[in-house]
């Protein structure tokens, strides 16, 4: 056999060896010196004498002489490589020699090439031959003396053998090569045959010809926007092509300049991960087990990841290394570039469409937040300017008005009577957020949400066209069954669509799992509500203590006007609530993943959707419950002096400040929102940086030639399959804060804008520098998050209408202004006195009667609309109360209908897909079909020409034979 397939002698006892095709020209990666093939007995460049490899062809069962490692691994090989037995500097390649010398005992000499790792640059993303790209890396720790590790080694051997049968090529780095001397690294390369096969299986679109549709961009502000632009080669890393699903039978139809670069690294690692997630490894009783995810979970492998293409702080020295990571870090993942646009096409090319669509959405959301932030800041500025003109605040602060109004005690027995002007400063600050501009801003945000969602649909449609996702329903990988589903479902049934047998989960098992999952979710939601009730009890318990201490402590006199018992209780309770939120959030994340795994979802898309709904439902209750309490419950069920309402018949319900509860809602919202954003940035930036610094502290002192590319990436943090899930969840929770309660805090969009400007750079920095390269995946939209945003947008209209009506003092002021004001010169004069009812101190019950009455108060005031004690309807609600309640309900109905009508009109007016994109999609489909049609016609003409040519040749043969016969006869 002259092609590398060598058999033994006549007895049949020889060994069949793998075919080793000769290497092509060696492409040196980075700064690697050329490796020379030396004749036997000569010295190599490293000073070591090259050895001769002897392969014995006679004698069954005899081993090869010397540790050999294959360059090419074929699916039908009989001898799998032992990838766990290579030494560091003794690792060798077997290269077929063009000149074979036969030994007298049936041996032949093969030339062995020895490549010293010290000659390999640490930036190498290729095999040792410098030609084949490393598409994926597996890592493991092997301790052969332990029984458990021996079983893991058997799984690895079977798994790697099956990978080779699937067409992948493997190369192993011995643990002696690693920095810590413990880790093996298995490098994986996907051949053209594998890539082209699975590109067709996964329906991946590849370029046909360059796009000739001219892009029109006539923005008159382009000259002004140049400061925000990035270089053209960064924004457009590759030319735009017409694309079509790849087909192996039509390879010549596609624009293939080089098979090594036709598939991008992101596409290559997506294909390899698809194979890894479905490759079996079972031995003995584990025959049905498969997938790299299970091997990672049971410790067979410690890591599986694709490689970054270079260091993030410098370019690779190899012209074949793209250095896209360096470009992303230089132009995108730096805080100094916060004002620049994002290179979305380069992000998509390097990380895949799923990560690209997230950063596109985050950037668009941040851009739209700028408009809301400007309007919110102007509303806040209006409140600041008009703060001194507030009649209500002036009356509270006036010594002759507020100073002469004695308020009822804030708690039972221990609290004393107090003067209304003690809340002067809080009432002034309350006007910052509780003014006419609040109503305008609430309506504006209802319309802004609609514009944001509708314009995002248009932006998303444009990205779908530019990123070849127009005909993409869901990724083929997601539509196919999850490996975990196939492994755990033992029963099978015929698929009505494919007419093939596939595993399924029985209805009874599915129902039982759903019941258990639903019960668990309800239990945790009940736990959140219980914790919120605990915080409320804390508020009620410490409220009396704060009131008693602040009233009787002379040392607090300088800050008593600013720090009221209500504010002190609200601040401490908000901080406590935030701590409980973080603890419950940490615990529930793990519970949600566990119960979702227990449900055994059928596809990846179904898995993500279920987990998303569980996590968002929990986060919704966890983060917003306290804000809902302050906005809609606090101060609404207090009762009145003498008939107070008690929680658990022990703690008296909280009252709102005489200036309203809105300032307390603002405080609650600010603490939770700001605390969450600060804590989130600490978790996202500092924690990965510290962990990476700790893991790589020893390797930093190693020479560059020893700390290899796969070891550097191995020391980074893992960006798991749920990495983007947490990023979306964080932003959607923030979206809820700035929409659901924005009427109480117009500065919320501004805080969110500042956070998101930082968030974009933090996310880009950590994914580029602190995390391993994620698995590339496709996505044509933000998925189920779009529906969640729509739901939050609708709910926000209702919540803001209720906040304006029931939490702020807007409606009571308007009712007083138009119906009860008797002063023509100052219509709001007397509003405070009108909003406070009178109570006779002698009507206090014994357990609520104040122990001290040093000011000899006989009549005290409280916040409500009730008849005085000398009226025949004493302590019943006045007509003004019912007028205000009717006005509040009317306002809610009118505001909701107006905003919803405008929302639906705007949504109808703005098409989801821009007209120019529709035209370009139709044009591309037409041209693509034309190209395919011309290709088929060309193939048909070739077949017809071949048939006609064969017919002509046959006729000539017949004529020649006839002439020969005639000549012989004559």
């Amino acid at each position: 056999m002259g092609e590398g397939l060598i058999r033994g002698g006549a007895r049949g006892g020889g060994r069949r060896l793998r075919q080793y095709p000769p290497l092509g020209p060696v492409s040196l990666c980075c700064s690697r010196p050329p490796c020379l093939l030396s004749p036997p007995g000569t010295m190599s460049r490293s000073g070591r004498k090259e050895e001769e490899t002897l392969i014995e062809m006679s004698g069954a069962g005899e081993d090869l002489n010397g540790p050999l490692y294959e360059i090419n691994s074929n699916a039908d090989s009989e001898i799998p490589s032992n990838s766990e037995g290579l030494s560091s500097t003794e690792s060798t390649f077997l290269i077929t020699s063009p000149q074979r010398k036969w030994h007298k005992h049936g041996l032949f000499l093969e030339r062995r090439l020895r490549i010293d790792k010290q000659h390999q640059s640490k930036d190498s993303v290729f095999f040792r031959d410098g030609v084949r790209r490393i598409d994926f890396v597996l890592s493991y720790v092997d301790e052969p003396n332990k029984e458990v590790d021996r079983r893991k080694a058997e799984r690895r051997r079977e798994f790697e053998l099956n990978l080779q049968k699937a067409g992948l090529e493997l190369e192993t780095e011995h643990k002696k090569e690693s920095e810590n001397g413990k880790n093996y690294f298995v490098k994986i390369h996907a051949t053209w045959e594998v890539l082209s096969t699975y590109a067709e299986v996964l329906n991946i679109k590849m370029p046909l010809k360059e796009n000739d549709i001219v892009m029109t961009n006539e923005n008159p502000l382009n000259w002004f926007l140049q400061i925000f632009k990035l270089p053209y080669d960064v924004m457009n890393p590759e030319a735009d092509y017409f694309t079509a699903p790849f087909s192996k039978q039509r390879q010549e139809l596609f624009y293939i300049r080089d098979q090594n670069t036709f598939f991008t690294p992101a596409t290559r690692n997506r294909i390899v991960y698809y194979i890894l997630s479905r490759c079996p490894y079972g031995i003995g009783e584990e025959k049905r087990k498969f997938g790299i995810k299970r091997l990672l979970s049971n410790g067979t492998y410690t890591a599986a990841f694709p490689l970054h293409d270079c260091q993030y702080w410098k370019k690779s020295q190899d012209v074949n290394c793209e250095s896209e990571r360096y470009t992303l870090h230089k132009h995108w993942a730096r805080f100094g570039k916060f004002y620049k646009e994002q290179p979305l096409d380069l992000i998509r090319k390097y990380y895949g469409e799923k990560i690209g669509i997230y950063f596109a959405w985050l950037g668009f959301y941040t851009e739209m937040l700028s408009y809301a932030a400007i309007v919110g800041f102007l509303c806040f500025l209006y409140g600041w300017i008009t703060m001194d003109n507030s009649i209500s605040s002036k009356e509270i602060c006036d010594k002759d008005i507020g100073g002469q109004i004695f308020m009822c005690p804030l708690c039972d027995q221990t609290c004393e009577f107090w003067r209304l002007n003690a809340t002067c400063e809080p009432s002034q600050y309350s006007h910052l957020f509780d003014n006419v501009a609040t109503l305008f801003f609430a309506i504006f945000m209802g319309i802004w949400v609609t514009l944001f969602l509708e314009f995002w649909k248009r932006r998303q449609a444009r990205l779908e066209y530019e990123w070849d996702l127009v005909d993409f329903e869901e990724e083929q990988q997601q539509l196919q069954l999850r490996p975990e589903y196939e492994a755990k479902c033992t029963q099978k049934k015929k698929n009505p669509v494919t007419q093939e047998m596939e595993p399924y989960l029985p209805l009874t098992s599915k129902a039982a799992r759903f019941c258990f999952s639903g019960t668990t979710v309800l239990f945790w939601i009940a736990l959140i509500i219980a914790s919120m009730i605990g915080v409320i009890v804390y508020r009620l318990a410490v409220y009396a203590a704060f009131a008693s201490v602040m009233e009787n402590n002379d040392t607090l006199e300088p800050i008593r006007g600013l720090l009221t018992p209500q504010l002190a209780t609200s601040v401490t309770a908000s901080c406590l609530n935030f701590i409980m939120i973080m603890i419950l959030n940490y615990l529930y994340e793990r519970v949600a993943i566990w119960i979702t795994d227990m449900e055994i979802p059928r596809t990846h898309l179904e898995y993500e959707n279920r987990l998303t709904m569980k996590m968002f439902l929990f986060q919704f209750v966890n983060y917003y419950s306290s804000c809902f309490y302050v906005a809609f419950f606090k101060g609404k069920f207090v009762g009145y002096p003498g008939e107070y309402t008690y929680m658990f018949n022990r703690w008296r319900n909280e009252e709102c400040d005489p200036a309203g509860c809105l300032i307390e809602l603002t405080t609650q919202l600010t603490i939770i929102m700001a605390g969450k954003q600060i804590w989130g940035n600490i978790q996202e930036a500092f924690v990965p940086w510290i962990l990476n610094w700790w893991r790589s502290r020893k390797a930093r002192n190693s020479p560059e030639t020893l700390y290899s590319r796969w070891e550097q990436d191995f020391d980074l943090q893992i960006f798991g399959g749920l990495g983007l899930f947490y990023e979306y969840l964080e932003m959607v929770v923030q979206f809820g804060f700035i929409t659901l309660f924005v009427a109480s805090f117009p500065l919320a969009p501004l805080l969110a804008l500042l956070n998101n400007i930082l968030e974009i750079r933090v996310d880009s920095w950590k994914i580029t520098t602190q995390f391993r390269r994620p698995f590339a995946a496709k996505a044509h939209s933000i998925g189920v998050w779009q529906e969640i945003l729509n739901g939050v947008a609708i709910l926000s209209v209702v919540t803001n209408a209720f906040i304006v009506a029931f939490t702020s003092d807007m409606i009571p002021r308007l009712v007083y202004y138009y119906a009860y004001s008797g002063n023509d010169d100052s219509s709001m004069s007397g509003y405070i006195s009108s909003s406070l009812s009178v109570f006779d101190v002698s009507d206090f019950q014994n357990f609520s009667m104040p122990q001290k009455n040093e000011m000899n108060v006989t009549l005290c005031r409280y916040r409500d609309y009730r008849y005085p004690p000398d009226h025949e309807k004493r302590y019943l609600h006045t007509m003004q109360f019912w007028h205000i309640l009717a006005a509040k309900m009317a306002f809610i109905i009118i505001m909701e209908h107006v905003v919803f009508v405008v929302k639906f009109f705007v949504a109808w007016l703005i098409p989801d897909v821009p007209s120019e994109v529709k035209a370009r999609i139709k044009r591309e489909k037409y041209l693509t079909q034309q190209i395919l049609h011309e290709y088929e016609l060309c193939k048909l003409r070739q077949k017809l020409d071949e048939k006609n040519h064969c017919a002509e040749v046959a006729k000539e043969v017949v004529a020649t034979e006839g002439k020969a016969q005639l000549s012989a006869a004559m």
Side-chain angles (χ1 to χ4, degrees):
M1 295 289 182
E3 298 178 357
L5 185 63
I6 306 174
R7 297 186 181 275
R11 295 182 180 180
R15 182 185 294 258
R16 182 174 179 236
L17 296 182
R18 196 184 311 277
Q19 178 179 350
Y20 299 98
L23 288 174
V26 177
S27 175
L28 302 176
C29 181
C30 308
S31 60
R32 183 191 308 171
C35 302
L36 304 179
L37 294 177
S38 305
T42 62
M43 300 295 291
S44 67
R45 301 183 68 175
S46 60
R48 293 186 176 92
K49 186 177 180 179
E50 297 291 351
E51 300 176 0
E52 296 177 346
T53 302
L54 304 180
I55 302 182
E56 187 173 352
M57 303 309 301
S58 60
E62 293 183 1
D63 294 332
L64 299 178
N65 184 18
L68 302 178
Y69 196 80
E70 298 115 350
I71 288 181
N72 191 24
S73 302
N74 297 325
D76 58 348
S77 303
E78 295 181 3
I79 306 177
S81 64
N82 182 5
S83 61
E84 301 169 11
L86 301 176
S87 63
S88 56
T89 55
E90 296 299 324
S91 302
T92 56
F93 283 139
L94 181 63
I95 300 180
T96 305
S97 174
Q99 299 177 351
R100 288 179 179 158
K101 300 180 181 179
W102 292 93
H103 193 268
K104 62 179 180 179
H105 298 294
L107 304 178
F108 74 91
L109 301 178
E110 285 269 2
R111 197 177 299 175
R112 170 184 283 176
L113 173 64
R114 183 185 299 247
I115 298 179
D116 194 335
K117 182 165 183 179
Q118 292 182 355
H119 289 166
Q120 186 176 8
S121 169
K122 69 173 183 177
D123 275 338
S124 175
V125 293
F126 295 92
F127 276 20
R128 295 193 191 99
D129 58 12
V131 176
R132 293 170 296 169
R133 174 180 287 273
I134 301 172
D135 297 313
F136 229 85
V137 174
L138 306 178
S139 174
Y140 63 90
V141 178
D142 184 36
E143 296 292 341
N145 296 328
K146 298 181 180 179
E147 180 63 29
V148 176
D149 288 329
R150 282 200 294 269
R151 188 167 185 81
K152 291 179 181 179
E154 293 176 359
R155 291 174 184 161
R156 283 193 296 269
R157 190 176 295 109
E158 186 71 19
F159 185 70
E160 293 175 16
L161 176 62
N162 290 329
L163 290 179
Q164 293 174 355
K165 290 180 179 179
L168 299 178
E169 297 179 356
L170 310 180
E171 184 177 82
T172 300
E173 294 289 332
H174 196 270
K175 64 181 180 181
K176 294 180 181 179
E177 298 283 0
S178 64
E179 174 62 30
N180 58 12
K182 298 178 181 179
N183 292 99
Y184 291 85
F185 292 95
V186 181
K187 298 173 286 186
I188 300 176
H189 169 75
T191 62
W192 170 260
E193 182 68 21
V194 172
L195 294 172
S196 58
T197 299
Y198 283 92
E200 187 171 5
V201 170
L202 297 177
N203 204 33
I204 297 176
K205 288 186 175 182
M206 301 305 295
L208 292 173
K209 61 173 292 188
E210 194 164 347
N211 193 340
D212 58 358
I213 301 177
V214 180
M215 293 286 294
T216 58
N217 189 2
E218 300 179 356
N219 190 347
L221 298 178
N222 274 341
W223 63 272
F224 174 73
L225 299 176
Q226 285 300 321
I227 189 175
F228 305 107
K229 299 289 185 180
L230 288 174
Y232 180 83
D233 59 332
V234 176
M235 292 299 298
N236 301 276
E238 54 188 359
D240 190 17
Y241 294 93
F242 294 129
T243 60
F246 187 77
S247 173
K248 289 182 65 177
Q249 288 73 25
R250 301 174 178 175
Q251 289 189 30
E252 62 271 19
L253 178 64
F254 292 88
Y255 191 67
I256 306 176
R257 289 177 296 180
D258 184 0
Q259 289 186 353
N260 294 325
T261 59
F262 180 65
F263 294 102
T264 63
T267 303
R268 297 173 70 101
N269 82 58
R270 181 158 69 96
I271 291 175
V272 174
Y273 182 69
Y274 180 86
I275 299 173
L276 290 173
S277 62
R278 284 159 175 78
C279 182
Y281 66 85
I283 54 175
E285 299 178 355
E286 300 178 337
K287 283 295 184 183
R288 295 187 66 256
K289 293 186 178 181
F290 55 87
I292 186 62
K293 187 175 181 180
R294 292 176 64 92
L295 291 174
L296 290 171
S297 63
N298 61 29
T300 303
Y301 288 99
T302 56
F305 54 92
L307 290 180
H308 285 293
D309 58 1
C310 68
Q311 301 279 10
Y312 67 84
W313 63 84
K314 67 176 182 179
K315 286 185 176 181
S316 173
Q317 300 177 14
D318 183 15
V319 294
N320 294 322
C321 301
E322 296 84 356
S323 299
E324 292 174 349
R325 185 190 188 193
Y326 167 80
T327 305
L328 286 171
H329 179 258
K330 179 180 179 181
H331 296 283
W332 177 52
R334 300 173 70 178
F335 299 101
K337 301 292 184 179
F338 71 93
Y339 61 94
K340 293 287 188 179
E341 61 183 340
Q342 297 188 87
L344 295 178
D345 288 340
L346 185 58
I347 297 171
R348 171 242 181 172
K349 181 184 177 185
Y350 190 73
Y351 292 115
E353 287 80 1
K354 194 170 185 178
I355 292 179
I357 205 76
Y358 163 73
F359 281 103
W361 175 81
L362 181 57
F364 182 80
Y365 171 47
T366 305
E367 180 183 348
M368 290 295 293
L369 268 179
S370 62
Y371 304 109
I374 292 173
V375 177
F377 180 75
L378 292 178
C379 292
F380 173 79
L381 198 61
Y382 170 82
W384 181 274
I385 294 173
T386 61
M387 185 170 61
D388 295 334
N389 300 327
S390 173
I391 302 299
S392 301
S393 298
K394 287 182 178 180
E395 289 186 349
I396 292 175
C397 297
D398 194 333
K399 293 182 179 179
D400 296 331
I401 301 177
Q404 299 303 317
I405 296 178
F406 295 95
M407 301 298 293
C408 295
L410 299 174
C411 60
D412 295 337
Q413 295 186 342
T414 58
C415 295
E416 299 180 2
F417 297 97
W418 54 286
R419 298 179 187 272
L420 180 61
N421 63 353
T423 60
C424 177
E425 285 83 359
S427 66
Q428 291 177 333
Y429 292 131
S430 178
H431 180 75
L432 290 173
F433 310 107
D434 192 0
N435 52 64
V436 179
T438 300
L439 174 60
F440 166 77
F441 192 59
I443 297 174
F444 168 80
M445 287 301 295
I447 301 173
W448 175 88
V449 168
T450 303
L451 292 174
F452 163 65
L453 295 176
E454 293 302 318
F455 282 130
W456 165 246
K457 291 177 183 177
R458 291 170 62 85
R459 175 67 173 135
Q460 189 170 262
R462 195 181 299 274
L463 287 176
E464 286 182 15
Y465 169 75
E466 294 174 355
W467 291 356
D468 299 320
L469 301 171
V470 174
D471 299 326
F472 178 76
E473 292 296 332
E474 294 298 341
E475 188 180 4
Q476 186 76 10
Q477 182 175 348
Q478 290 180 329
L479 285 176
Q480 294 195 4
L481 301 180
R482 293 174 64 235
E484 295 83 359
Y485 181 86
E486 296 181 86
K488 294 180 181 179
C489 297
T490 56
Q491 302 185 35
K492 292 188 177 183
K493 69 175 182 179
K494 182 179 291 187
N495 188 312
V497 178
T498 61
Q499 294 297 311
E500 295 180 356
M501 298 299 293
E502 63 179 28
Y504 83 103
L505 192 65
L507 183 60
T508 54
S509 176
K510 186 182 297 185
R513 293 172 186 274
F514 278 149
C515 289
F516 179 78
S517 175
T519 304
T520 306
V521 172
L522 291 177
F523 168 78
W524 278 88
I525 291 177
L527 187 62
I528 297 172
I529 297 174
S531 67
M532 186 190 70
I533 294 175
V535 174
I536 295 174
V537 170
Y538 164 83
R539 298 173 73 107
L540 301 180
V542 302
Y543 180 77
F546 277 126
S548 178
V549 170
M550 291 182 178
E551 289 179 0
N552 301 321
N553 193 341
D554 295 334
T555 60
L556 298 177
E557 183 65 30
I559 61 172
R560 186 175 296 172
L562 179 63
L563 187 64
T564 62
Q566 292 95 330
L567 185 60
T569 303
S570 180
V571 170
T572 56
S574 299
C575 295
L576 178 63
N577 185 61
F578 175 72
I579 294 172
M580 296 185 68
I581 285 173
M582 292 294 103
I583 294 174
L584 289 174
N585 188 39
Y586 175 81
L587 296 175
Y588 184 76
E589 283 182 5
R590 284 142 185 82
V591 174
I593 294 174
W594 175 68
I595 59 178
T596 306
D597 289 336
M598 183 270 302
E599 291 176 5
I600 317 180
R602 188 171 183 273
T603 64
H604 291 280
L605 181 64
E606 187 178 349
Y607 180 88
E608 290 186 3
N609 289 347
R610 291 187 187 182
L611 182 61
T612 299
M613 295 307 299
K614 290 184 183 67
M615 285 297 299
F616 179 75
L617 180 62
F618 176 83
Q619 299 272 23
F620 185 91
V621 179
N622 198 19
Y623 281 106
Y624 304 145
S625 57
S626 59
C627 294
F628 274 103
Y629 164 73
V630 175
F632 305 123
F633 296 98
K634 182 181 178 182
K636 308 301 185 296
F637 309 99
V638 177
Y640 64 94
E643 290 292 337
Y644 284 119
T645 303
Y646 291 84
M647 176 178 281
F648 305 129
N649 295 322
R650 180 176 180 181
W651 293 286
R652 198 174 98 187
N653 285 347
E654 288 182 280
E655 299 179 42
C656 286
D657 192 273
C661 274
L662 196 68
I663 188 66
E664 294 188 40
L665 177 59
T666 303
T667 304
Q668 181 86 8
L669 184 66
T670 304
I671 290 176
I672 295 180
M673 182 177 174
K676 182 182 183 303
Q677 293 179 166
I678 294 172
W679 179 252
N681 287 327
I682 291 175
Q683 278 188 315
E684 293 181 12
F686 290 102
V687 173
W689 181 79
I690 292 173
L691 292 176
N692 289 339
W693 174 85
W694 180 257
R695 292 181 63 177
S696 60
R697 67 191 187 283
K698 293 181 179 180
R700 286 194 300 272
N701 299 323
S702 301
E704 290 189 355
T705 53
L706 294 182
Y707 195 33
S708 61
R709 159 63 42 211
W710 42 90
E711 289 177 280
Q712 296 171 48
D713 286 8
F714 176 77
D715 287 338
L716 298 177
Q717 298 301 301
I718 302 174
F719 192 85
L722 298 177
L724 280 184
F725 168 80
Y726 294 113
E727 301 297 339
Y728 275 118
L729 184 62
E730 178 186 4
M731 289 295 102
V732 171
V733 170
Q734 182 203 83
F735 181 80
F737 278 124
I738 69 167
T739 55
L740 294 175
F741 309 102
V742 74
S744 66
F745 190 36
L747 290 180
L750 179 60
L751 292 181
L753 173 64
L754 297 177
N755 174 79
N756 287 8
I757 292 174
L758 181 65
E759 180 75 20
I760 292 175
R761 304 305 160 179
V762 168
D763 287 348
S764 59
W765 173 79
K766 72 178 183 181
I767 199 175
T768 304
T769 66
Q770 304 301 311
F771 283 85
R772 298 171 187 167
R773 188 172 182 172
F775 310 143
K778 276 196 173 184
H780 74 296
S781 67
I782 60 176
V784 72
W785 298 108
Q786 183 80 33
E787 303 302 323
I788 292 176
L789 291 175
N790 290 331
V792 172
I794 295 173
L795 182 60
S796 67
V797 177
V798 180
T799 56
N800 283 302
F802 272 85
I803 288 174
V804 174
F806 287 97
T807 309
S808 76
D809 271 2
M810 183 68 59
I811 303 303
R813 289 197 197 105
L814 292 176
V815 171
Y816 179 82
Y817 179 84
Y818 288 105
Y820 291 92
S821 176
N823 191 340
D824 296 334
D825 297 333
S826 180
S827 300
M828 291 303 297
S829 178
Y831 167 73
I832 291 297
S833 180
S834 173
S835 65
L836 298 176
S837 298
V838 180
F839 182 76
D840 190 345
V841 174
S842 62
D843 292 334
F844 271 118
Q845 297 182 15
N846 294 331
F847 60 85
S848 60
M849 176 69 73
Q851 297 174 354
K852 297 180 181 180
N853 189 359
E854 298 177 353
M855 293 182 287
N856 297 320
V857 177
T858 58
L859 296 175
C860 64
R861 309 291 291 271
Y862 59 97
R863 180 182 171 87
D864 207 341
Y865 296 92
R866 295 179 183 270
Y867 288 108
D870 56 353
H871 197 276
E872 60 180 3
K873 297 180 180 179
R874 56 181 293 170
Y875 303 139
L876 296 179
H877 287 297
T878 64
M879 189 56 64
Q880 186 177 358
F881 170 83
W882 299 109
H883 288 166
I884 292 174
L885 181 60
K888 289 180 177 180
M889 300 307 296
F891 170 80
I892 291 173
I893 295 174
I894 294 173
M895 178 181 170
E896 286 182 357
H897 281 74
V898 169
V899 175
F900 278 132
V901 168
V902 174
K903 281 170 61 71
F904 292 132
F905 176 74
V906 170
W908 170 80
L909 189 64
I910 302 175
D912 293 345
V913 182
S915 57
E916 59 176 281
V917 173
K918 290 182 180 178
R920 291 167 63 188
I921 290 173
K922 293 179 180 178
R923 170 67 175 165
E924 180 168 352
K925 285 185 176 180
Y926 168 76
L927 292 177
T928 303
Q929 290 176 355
Q930 187 178 24
I931 292 171
L932 294 174
H933 179 66
E934 291 177 355
Y935 171 79
E936 296 297 338
L937 286 179
C938 181
K939 297 291 288 185
L940 183 60
R941 290 194 192 100
Q942 290 179 358
K943 291 181 179 179
L944 292 176
D945 291 342
E946 290 177 358
K947 290 181 179 179
N948 293 335
H949 178 69
C950 291
E952 291 176 359
V953 171
K955 290 180 181 178
E956 291 179 1
V957 170
V958 172
T960 303
E961 290 179 350
K963 291 178 181 179
Q965 293 176 358
L966 180 60
S967 176
M970 293 178 61

